[in-house]
Amino acid sequence: MAQRPKRAGGFGPGLLVTAAFIGPGTITTASNAGANFGYALVWALLFSVLATMVLQEMAARQALATRAGLAETMRTAFSSPVLGRLAVILVVAAIGLGNAAYEAGNITGAAVAVAGVTGSGTGPWAIAIGVAAALLLGSGHYRLLERVLIGLVLLMSAVFLACAVVAAPGPEIVVDALARPGFPEGSALTVVALIGTTVVPYNLFLHANAAREKWPASVPLDEALPAARRDSVLSIGLGGLITLAILSTAAVAFFGSNEAFDAFAMAAQLEPLLGAAAGPVFAAGLFAGGVTSALTAPLAAGYAVCGALGWRSGLRDSPFRAVSFAVLASGTLFAALGTRPLAAILFAQAANGLLLPFVALALLYLMNRKDLLGAHRNGPLGNLLGAIVVAVATGLGLVKLASVAGLL
């Protein structure tokens, strides 16, 4: 009997994107935004979520229509060999080396959450988290990784949304903030950070490859594309809601007070609901955020670098495993030692400052190639939205480069 093709429904790749961008960096940035500026920057969060939806939908559509990862398409689609080589260099530098530098922060964030509850040091927990992540990645099973990441995202959702429900006022204050967007003095870099931690270039490569895994060629495109769009909107929207909950809790706990900002101090806002369990529950949210990013960063690096260099990029392929395990091992080592590879982080920030506008512009160009996408290429509305996002991505890249150069 012939095997029935897999159906297109269900969550998956979109929640991997959410798992990737809701990490220690986003938690810290959203908390600082709320603590320092209250609800005034909610508009920046809304914009970042909408911009992410636009870019991620295009990345997934490109992958499903061409059956190629974004890095593979970028490497082969440009007629100019200079642009092709530039794409390879930027992808390897910004995503391969960059994720290796950032991985220490992901693992450290998860380790700090556990250590805060147990009262122990972070080093042993960093090693334990690194080993657990290696076992999951080494399994080579996409469905297992997907389910673990979905579970962690749902855990984050429950924790941070509970914080917002218990601590924050009603939704009318958010609606009012959106109706009267503000740009408080001294908030420019926070706005850039809030958008920059959500519109992440490596998520485009991760999403494209994960979409191919979720919806193989046996699933008709007229089923896969609508399912991918629904998945992207709902999953990234959930990520935005989680970030809003973190910002709201910090705004209520710290904005307008003289109290020093401390992420664990926000756990006190859960005490009326959970009592003595408030600290461990809030730590669980921080732990989930660190682990999700610690898993997705090696995945994205493996997909992006292997695609750019023309190597095999399956979860069980040796080149993919070599890249992803190198990223994970470097992050675990630095996290266990309690040090940050500052020079590597500065280099990664500079490389990402160049990569984000390059990839956004390249993606917009690819999405208009009839020979690649046929009837699935961008229409006028897609191009308009894409052009706006590309302009913002270029601005973000320039600001990041200026910050690394010490000009801001």
Side-chain angles (χ1 to χ4, degrees):
M1 177 184 262
Q3 189 177 18
R4 295 183 66 186
K6 296 182 181 179
R7 305 304 292 173
F11 278 106
L15 277 179
L16 264 64
V17 173
T18 300
F21 77 74
I22 305 287
T26 296
I27 293 170
T28 301
T29 300
S31 298
N32 281 323
N36 295 322
F37 304 104
Y39 290 89
L41 302 183
V42 169
W43 64 268
L45 172 59
L46 176 62
F47 174 82
S48 68
V49 169
L50 295 176
T52 301
M53 287 178 181
V54 170
L55 288 178
Q56 298 296 156
E57 187 278 334
M58 287 196 292
R61 178 157 41 103
Q62 177 276 144
L64 292 174
T66 65
R67 306 308 307 174
L70 180 57
E72 299 167 66
T73 304
M74 287 175 59
R75 178 174 55 85
T76 58
F78 292 116
S79 57
S80 168
V82 174
L83 285 177
R85 291 191 186 99
L86 179 61
V88 170
I89 293 170
L90 283 176
V91 167
V92 172
I95 298 182
L97 300 178
N99 282 14
Y102 295 142
E103 183 73 346
N106 297 329
I107 295 176
T108 298
V112 165
V114 182
V117 173
T118 61
S120 58
T122 60
W125 289 113
I127 294 172
I129 291 165
V131 170
L135 291 174
L136 277 170
L137 289 171
S139 71
H141 293 291
Y142 171 77
R143 300 295 174 190
L144 175 62
L145 275 168
E146 181 184 85
R147 287 167 185 162
V148 169
L149 288 167
I150 288 173
L152 289 168
V153 169
L154 294 178
L155 173 61
M156 277 194 293
S157 304
V159 169
F160 292 129
L161 292 175
C163 289
V165 168
V166 171
E172 62 275 2
I173 193 169
V174 176
V175 175
D176 183 64
L178 289 174
R180 296 186 297 174
F183 213 123
E185 184 179 354
S187 66
L189 288 180
T190 303
V191 169
V192 170
L194 200 56
I195 298 174
T197 57
T198 308
V199 186
V200 183
Y202 80 67
N203 273 342
L204 298 171
F205 299 91
L206 175 64
H207 198 181
N209 285 80
R212 287 194 306 168
E213 295 277 357
K214 179 71 174 180
W215 296 289
S218 58
V219 179
L221 265 180
D222 60 358
E223 289 185 31
L225 287 174
R229 289 191 183 101
R230 287 193 300 271
D231 173 48
S232 296
V233 170
L234 292 175
S235 300
I236 296 167
L238 175 61
L241 193 60
I242 296 171
T243 309
L244 176 62
I246 298 167
L247 184 151
S248 297
T249 306
V252 171
F254 298 100
F255 182 59
S257 73
N258 295 320
E259 186 179 355
F261 172 73
D262 180 355
F264 276 100
M266 288 197 295
Q269 303 299 323
L270 281 178
E271 287 182 0
L273 178 66
L274 300 175
V281 168
F282 193 80
L286 297 178
F287 171 79
V291 173
T292 54
S293 293
L295 282 169
T296 52
L299 274 175
Y303 284 137
V305 171
C306 290
L309 296 175
W311 297 345
R312 298 188 310 277
S313 58
L315 288 176
R316 299 185 184 185
D317 289 328
S318 297
F320 177 90
R321 291 191 171 198
V323 174
S324 58
F325 284 148
V327 169
L328 179 59
S330 65
T332 302
L333 176 62
F334 281 112
L337 294 175
T339 59
R340 298 180 69 206
L342 292 178
I345 289 173
L346 287 174
F347 171 79
Q349 288 175 338
N352 273 281
L354 290 169
L355 181 66
L356 179 56
F358 181 87
V359 171
L361 188 59
L363 181 59
L364 188 58
Y365 163 74
L366 294 173
M367 298 309 295
N368 283 277
R369 287 274 298 268
K370 186 176 181 180
D371 57 323
L372 288 175
L373 298 171
H376 303 294
R377 67 189 186 277
N378 272 3
L381 179 60
N383 282 329
L384 174 62
L385 296 175
I388 294 172
V389 174
V390 166
V392 172
T394 302
L396 284 174
L398 292 175
V399 169
K400 184 169 289 188
L401 288 173
S403 178
V404 172
L407 301 177
L408 292 177

